[in-house]
Amino acid sequence: MNPNELGRRPLLALSLITLLLVAPHFVRLDLRISLAFIAVILLRLASLYLPRLHPGRWLLLGITLAGAALIFTLYPLLIGLPAKVALLALMLGLKLMECRRRRDLYVVVFLGYFTLSTHFLFEQGMLLVAYAFVLVIGLSGLLIEASRATSRPGWPLHSLRLAAGLTAQSLPIMLVLFFLFPRIEGPLWNLGVDNSTGKTGLSDSITLGSISQLIRSRAVAFRVDFDQAIPPPRLRYWRGPVLWHTDGRRWSRGRLVETGPVTFRSDADPVGYQVTLEPSPNDWLYALDLPETLPAGATLSADYQISAKNVRNRRYRYAASSRLDYHTGALSERQRRLGLQLPDTVTSRMRALVAGWRAGTDSDRQLVSRALQFFRSEPFYYTLNPPLLETNPVDQFLFDSRRGFCEHYATSFTLLMRLAGIPARVVTGYQGGQRNPLGNYLIVRQSDAHAWSEVWLAGSGWTRIDPTAAVAPERIERSFEFDLDENADPGVPVIFASADSDLLRSVMKQLRLGLDAANASWHRWILGYSRQQQQSLLQLLGFGSLSEFKLALAMVLTTAALLPLLLLLLRRRERIRPDPVQGDYVKFCRRLARRGLVRQPHEGPRDFARRVIRQRPDLQRQVSAIVNLYIALRYGPSDDPQQRRRLHRLVRGFRA
């Protein structure tokens, strides 16, 4: 067999590792690309046991052209990361298909390293890093085995152990580079490409059903660390886009152009916190009602919405403070006009309902109370599967179906207030959040997405009114997990279940919180390791005055100092664990040296054996057996463990 030809075992290992390299991309690629890649891998595996299945040159060319046609059919211009990753995955699979020699293995392995790095363009989670480390060890083990002159029994464990050792030896240098490399502003992996695929978050408009889709997601929207105690759930309203304009079905932000400082009055103590916002395609930030201090570079609109530049599609951490009790002051004429805008879909039933409220009240505040009592006393239900509302959704919801979720209640309540002559607007954001006791921080998920109403009342200004709380106080007052049944009939109310209602759910909750706490620490201290954190660490070590040039120089010098230490450890390891075959031969030579037969530096094993036999013919049988076996094990094509043990026995029993 040609020594450059690869056997079945390394090709099998290479095929399995290649499959693991691309597997995390399956959730991002088109299903047809994933199936095509899996088909190529399965064909490669089958051809290892049935060589007749291995495609010839022309069939392989046809498979390649079919793969290229599939790529350009799905991604005609190869724009976007998924298109590039799809092309790379199929190229990797096709190169594996023609892998026969060591040179081909080198190409596939280095393509594998490159493919592995593409995962970090989409996410940089802790579990992905651990997964990548395992695959790096596997790829490195293949390189080590391919670099041997001949294969050896048990090579997978030996090569993987050696690859793991080399990877561990690189960790000190990696840590030095991580902590001392001059930090740049912005994420390292934001390369100017669109990586918003799969990111979710609130929109700047509401159409019935948009928030309910978010509520079905358990993905994390952001995490919050408080400087003081975490506020109770009823005060955790995280303010997002404010919606003014409606056509009866859709609510949007409209145009609110007002200049001048945004102010409000408050006697409450400020609440300080730090928010770690997960990647989303939006440019606004979330803060408790109402935000007082803003992160650097952020702006506050006249309706108290925070926006910032360069925050889209990346994890962003910022500090803010809020006042939970406030008075917004007088109402501008433009806000009054926008807050009373009505669509053409207002019906006589809606006008009659509001007229009845107004006839029995003396103030706007009393009318708001009458409206909340209407939602509380009538048979309204909170459900994520509301009946379909077609022509006039607000009228049908108020008088016919009476089943919906926060969107229905907030938008219909706001419209009724405008009919009563009270300026009102819809506010979207998140409400509540789950406290993680393992890190004492708050987890706000997409399932906490919420919408509520704000009305302007004399004496208090813009006042938050949440009609959902009148129908389903469980949604607001306490932390909970609700059961979402995708197959439930329309209009079935949500069943609010306690998170600790049974042992299994409690255990699963603790596991999720533990994993989230580990991920939060990973994002904060590793992925969020910024220039400010680097400066704080250097100041703690007494090097806070280093410039970027001196910092880079310190990094180079520290790395240069580590290399000799690592080499010294390698040499000590070699001395502590010598080659057993070589060790037995050295012991054999020492026993001969005690009888005056000293091996000269220029003598090889065979020449030394001939000289020993000439001087001591009585040792011919023993010396020939030991030396011939040593030469076969040390320089021959095989390395049989049984022959090693036989050499050890011969040397141990040798007496000159």
Side-chain angles (χ1 to χ4, degrees), residues 70 194 237 320 365 391 396 429 517 625:
L70 178 61
D194 179 17
Y237 282 84
R365 195 175 299 273
T391 56
Q396 290 177 280

Side-chain angles (χ1 to χ4, degrees), residues 145-438:
E145 176 59 23
S147 300
R148 299 182 185 277
T150 57
S151 61
R152 56 187 299 176
W155 72 262
L157 291 179
H158 182 272
S159 298
L160 290 175
R161 187 166 56 247
L162 182 56
L166 293 173
T167 304
Q169 292 160 17
S170 68
L171 289 179
I173 296 178
M174 182 193 73
L175 292 175
V176 169
L177 295 176
F178 175 78
F179 286 109
L180 296 183
F181 193 89
R183 314 307 291 180
I184 60 176
E185 294 296 335
L188 178 63
W189 294 96
N190 188 9
L191 305 180
V193 293
D194 179 17
N195 60 347
S196 60
T197 303
K199 309 300 181 186
T200 60
L202 286 174
S203 174
D204 58 355
S205 64
I206 281 183
T207 53
L208 295 184
S210 59
I211 290 184
S212 72
Q213 296 305 315
L214 280 183
I215 293 177
R216 298 174 190 275
S217 170
R218 299 296 296 170
V220 175
F222 53 89
R223 299 177 177 89
V224 190
D225 295 279
F226 284 90
D227 299 339
Q228 305 91 11
I230 299 178
R234 61 184 178 82
L235 297 178
R236 299 177 198 163
Y237 282 84
W238 301 94
R239 193 180 189 89
V242 180
L243 312 180
W244 294 84
H245 184 268
T246 179
D247 59 4
R249 175 177 290 273
R250 180 177 181 270
W251 285 77
S252 60
R253 297 171 66 180
R255 291 187 177 183
L256 177 62
V257 182
E258 290 189 355
T259 59
V262 181
T263 60
F264 61 90
R265 303 193 307 272
S266 177
D267 296 328
D269 295 330
V271 177
Y273 48 89
Q274 295 80 42
V275 179
T276 304
L277 184 67
E278 290 298 303
S280 74
N282 305 318
D283 57 0
W284 53 77
L285 308 179
Y286 299 96
L288 285 174
D289 259 345
L290 278 175
E292 182 179 42
T293 61
L294 309 179
T299 58
L300 187 66
S301 65
D303 48 13
Y304 305 101
Q305 179 183 337
I306 305 176
S307 58
K309 297 180 179 179
N310 302 321
V311 299
R312 293 185 179 183
N313 304 321
R314 71 182 182 99
R315 187 172 288 101
Y316 184 69
R317 184 173 174 83
Y318 58 93
S321 67
S322 300
R323 306 269 185 162
L324 305 186
D325 187 19
Y326 49 85
H327 186 300
T328 61
L331 183 68
S332 69
E333 184 58 34
R334 177 168 179 78
Q335 289 194 13
R336 179 181 296 277
R337 186 168 62 253
L338 291 174
L340 293 175
Q341 179 260 333
L342 292 172
D344 298 332
T345 56
V346 176
T347 63
S348 58
R349 290 195 294 182
M350 297 165 60
R351 295 185 185 276
L353 177 64
V354 173
W357 294 343
R358 177 61 76 183
T361 58
D362 298 327
S363 65
D364 291 345
R365 195 175 299 273
Q366 290 183 3
L367 189 141
V368 170
S369 299
R370 287 283 301 274
L372 291 177
Q373 183 61 32
F374 168 75
F375 284 102
R376 191 177 294 114
S377 59
E378 295 295 324
F380 285 94
Y381 297 98
Y382 186 92
T383 176
L384 295 181
N385 295 290
L388 183 63
L389 304 178
E390 298 179 351
T391 56
N392 194 328
V394 175
D395 182 84
Q396 290 177 280
F397 168 70
L398 287 173
F399 301 103
D400 299 328
S401 71
R402 295 187 170 180
R403 280 162 167 77
F405 46 94
C406 59
E407 290 178 352
H408 297 77
Y409 294 104
T411 56
S412 61
F413 181 88
T414 301
L415 193 56
L416 292 175
M417 293 300 100
R418 291 184 175 187
L419 274 173
I422 303 175
R425 60 194 183 190
V426 175
V427 183
T428 60
Y430 296 87
Q431 196 285 323
Q434 181 183 27
R435 176 179 172 270
N436 190 337
L438 300 179

Side-chain angles (χ1 to χ4, degrees), residues 100-170:
R100 295 174 179 270
R101 298 176 176 82
R102 296 176 185 270
R103 181 185 60 185
D104 300 326
L105 183 141
Y106 296 149
V107 174
V108 174
V109 168
F110 284 107
L111 274 176
Y113 284 125
F114 185 79
T115 303
L116 191 59
S117 68
T118 61
H119 294 291
F120 296 101
L121 296 173
F122 297 90
E123 59 174 305
Q124 302 90 41
M126 181 177 59
L127 294 180
L128 177 62
V129 172
Y131 185 80
F133 260 102
V134 172
L135 291 182
V136 164
I137 293 173
L139 290 171
S140 302
L142 284 172
L143 276 183
I144 291 171
E145 176 59 23
S147 300
R148 299 182 185 277
T150 57
S151 61
R152 56 187 299 176
W155 72 262
L157 291 179
H158 182 272
S159 298
L160 290 175
R161 187 166 56 247
L162 182 56
L166 293 173
T167 304
Q169 292 160 17
S170 68

Side-chain angles (χ1 to χ4, degrees), residues 558-579:
T558 305
T559 304
L562 280 175
L563 288 176
L565 293 176
L566 293 175
L567 291 175
L568 180 62
L569 291 175
L570 287 175
R571 290 183 63 102
R572 289 187 60 186
R573 180 180 177 185
E574 290 176 358
R575 287 198 297 269
I576 295 173
R577 301 180 62 184
D579 183 5

